[in-house]
Amino acid sequence: MTTKGKVYKGIPSNVAMYAPWVAPRHLGNEGMPIGVDMRTNKLVVFDPWMLQRLRIIHSTIILILGDKNHGKTTLMQSLTLRLMALQAGHVEGIPVEMRARIHNRKPEDGEPEYKPLTDYLHSPTFSLNQDALFNLFDMSMGMGVWDLLDTAVNVCETAAEHPLTGFQPLNLQVAVYKMLRDFKDIASPEILEVLLRGLDVSDVEAYYDASDNELLGSLETVLGARPELRSQLQLTMNRPKNIPQEQFRNDAGLASTYLGRVLRGDFGRMFGGQKSLRSTLSLPMSTWDWTGVNPRATSLLEAMIWKWNAIGLSGKDVGIIPHINLGDEESDGLNNLMHARFMAAFVKKARAFHTADIRATQYQSDIRNAGAEGSEMRGHAESILLGTGLRFIGRQPKDDAVLNDLAQLGISDLDLDYLTTLPVGCWGIKVVDHPLVFAQHILTPTEDRIIQSNSASKRMTDRVPVLSTEEMRQRAISVGILKLGQE
């Protein structure tokens, strides 16, 4: 039987210098143990923040790939448990504890899949299928005019399932201006919807007047010394606006229906009212149970969490940004353009965030192939993959498309072939410009007790001898039992 391996040409003394049994060096020596090197049996440690500080990885965005039942969920939970034991830096010598946010998407044996983990970590669990009606324009998140307008455009496009057309972007600009001018304290999508219903050209006039005054103020230094130029500019500003009344009103009505669909249509009554998520986002530990939530609503709210994280970073409001963010089935979110836009924006700035974002999906090609070729969605998917700093790659299928996609990471043919035969719980750890480090993930006794993936199957196969129960024994006696060797 032949074995697969590299072929070296030369005399034996030269070939020996290649030392083909030498393994790649470890990525780092600080952090939490995660297992043993499958080539050398040395301990493998993991600290994404230290790896980024040492410029070994360019971001703490972590992607876990692997076939079903290979151990992705187990690895994610184990990483969370171990990384939670680290300090999140310090403030004037006082250690800062890790803040973690766990997103649970699947029920396991009638309970949230991560319930044993969250119980162990004393994490409160929020059922988003019950705790609904959230305000997408939550001003306590530090949302400014541009943030509100960006959110409004994306929400409307998500509901419409196509880009806004005609005067609809202008409708939203005018309505957001009017909302902040008259109803800032109760800003919400409902208020914006109401304003859009009755929006007309007089509101455009007021919006442009405010915009023109801002422009004059910004040019005060120049115009103060040239009064004739000021007069000429003001005459130009006072000319009639080229906005057709009927078309403007029709488009405003359409934009209003888009918001109404999100608030009261097929988005599952997730949004509306004044309920804020700020206190939940600020908790040191929280579990978000998405079980049973409308998929459209899930993508929309997840997109807003990415948005709020970015706003928090810009405003130095880091208390709403977790140190560890645990997600799952990442390719599902890329079915929504708003989600893809806001996540890609986060990933592009990932170096500035302190978040180790850990996501899982089966195959990298699931993400890369999001949307149609050349589409905006495909572009965001590529950006997310480029922004990923580290990959745990589990067993992959013997599929050319899947393996060719991984080959773009610089993985050798020999390692690609080995990935198709990896035992459960074994991983190739891939960093850009570094060869794969193969590691066997080893659970501690505590982790083995609380990490329960596939518990439904385990329950169904955890069997006892039938005749060990009194009920079955009596039933067997009543019908008679034929014992081997007896007539």
Side-chain angles (χ1 to χ4, degrees), residues 145-160:
V145 177
W146 186 88
D147 299 312
L148 291 171
L149 181 58
D150 186 39
T151 300
V153 169
N154 276 278
V155 168
C156 286
E157 289 187 347
T158 296

Side-chain angles (χ1 to χ4, degrees), residues 157-361:
E157 289 187 347
T158 296
E161 300 180 353
H162 59 70
L164 297 183
T165 59
F167 288 102
Q168 290 166 8
L170 178 61
N171 297 145
L172 291 175
Q173 287 177 242
V174 175
V176 167
Y177 160 75
K178 191 172 182 179
M179 179 176 67
L180 292 179
R181 184 192 66 187
D182 300 337
F183 304 105
K184 184 176 182 179
D185 291 341
I186 53 172
S188 69
E190 296 99 313
I191 298 298
L192 193 65
E193 180 199 16
V194 169
L195 292 173
L196 284 165
R197 290 178 198 161
L199 212 61
D200 59 27
V201 174
S202 65
D203 296 307
V204 182
E205 294 282 351
Y207 171 72
Y208 281 143
D209 286 345
S211 178
D212 291 347
N213 288 333
E214 287 184 14
L215 177 60
L216 290 171
S218 67
L219 297 173
E220 184 60 38
T221 302
V222 176
L223 298 180
R226 301 183 61 183
E228 77 289 352
L229 187 59
R230 178 194 294 273
S231 298
Q232 182 179 354
L233 179 58
Q234 287 179 321
L235 285 172
T236 303
M237 289 176 171
N238 291 333
R239 298 179 67 180
K241 311 298 187 294
N242 298 323
I243 305 295
Q245 171 90 355
E246 184 176 357
Q247 186 178 349
F248 181 84
R249 288 176 60 88
N250 288 342
D251 284 348
L254 279 173
S256 177
T257 64
Y258 298 151
L259 287 174
R261 180 179 177 184
V262 171
L263 296 169
R264 295 176 298 277
D266 56 342
F267 282 74
R269 291 288 291 168
M270 176 67 74
F271 309 107
Q274 296 293 317
K275 184 180 289 187
S276 173
L277 278 169
R278 181 176 180 84
S279 60
T280 305
L281 292 171
S282 303
L283 288 172
M285 183 78 197
S286 62
T287 299
W288 298 49
D289 182 11
W290 298 85
T291 305
V293 177
N294 181 299
R296 294 170 66 81
T298 297
S299 295
L300 191 57
L301 184 55
E302 281 192 320
M304 285 309 303
I305 294 173
W306 291 118
K307 180 72 172 179
W308 286 327
N309 281 343
I311 294 171
L313 180 67
S314 299
K316 298 182 179 180
D317 185 14
V318 297
I320 65 173
I321 305 174
H323 298 107
I324 302 170
N325 191 56
L326 186 67
D328 205 353
E329 302 301 333
E330 183 50 45
S331 59
D332 292 348
L334 294 179
N335 294 322
N336 179 281
L337 186 55
M338 178 178 175
H339 183 283
R341 284 171 177 168
F342 289 176
M343 182 180 180
F346 174 91
V347 171
K348 285 179 180 178
K349 299 178 181 178
R351 184 182 295 274
F353 285 92
H354 57 229
T355 303
D357 187 82
I358 307 172
R359 302 265 155 175
T361 193

Side-chain angles (χ1 to χ4, degrees), residues 9 42 104 171 242 299 347 370 398 415 431 461 475 477:
K9 294 182 179 180
K42 289 186 176 180
N104 183 85
N171 297 145
N242 298 323
S299 295
V347 171
K398 293 184 178 181
D415 284 345
V431 172
T461 56
R475 182 182 301 179
I477 292 171

Side-chain angles (χ1 to χ4, degrees), residues 376-422:
E376 181 185 352
M377 180 78 80
R378 181 69 61 88
H380 291 315
E382 290 286 351
S383 294
I384 291 168
L385 288 178
L386 288 173
T388 299
L390 184 142
R391 293 164 175 82
F392 285 90
I393 307 175
R395 186 178 59 241
Q396 300 291 295
K398 293 184 178 181
D399 180 278
D400 288 344
V402 172
L403 297 178
N404 289 340
D405 184 76
L406 290 176
Q408 297 181 41
L409 300 174
I411 301 176
S412 70
D413 291 343
L414 188 65
D415 284 345
L416 284 173
D417 185 72
Y418 187 43
L419 286 173
T420 66
T421 62
L422 272 183

Side-chain angles (χ1 to χ4, degrees), residues 96-116:
V96 176
E97 65 177 346
M98 286 283 182
R99 292 191 300 275
R101 191 179 300 155
I102 298 174
H103 298 272
N104 183 85
R105 301 182 189 280
K106 296 177 291 186
E108 187 78 31
D109 199 15
E111 297 282 357
E113 184 178 25
Y114 295 154
K115 187 177 188 302

Side-chain angles (χ1 to χ4, degrees), residues 2-23:
T2 60
T3 59
K4 293 185 177 181
K6 295 181 180 179
V7 177
Y8 297 92
K9 294 182 179 180
I11 61 176
S13 58
N14 290 339
V15 173
M17 296 178 66
Y18 285 111
W21 53 85
V22 175

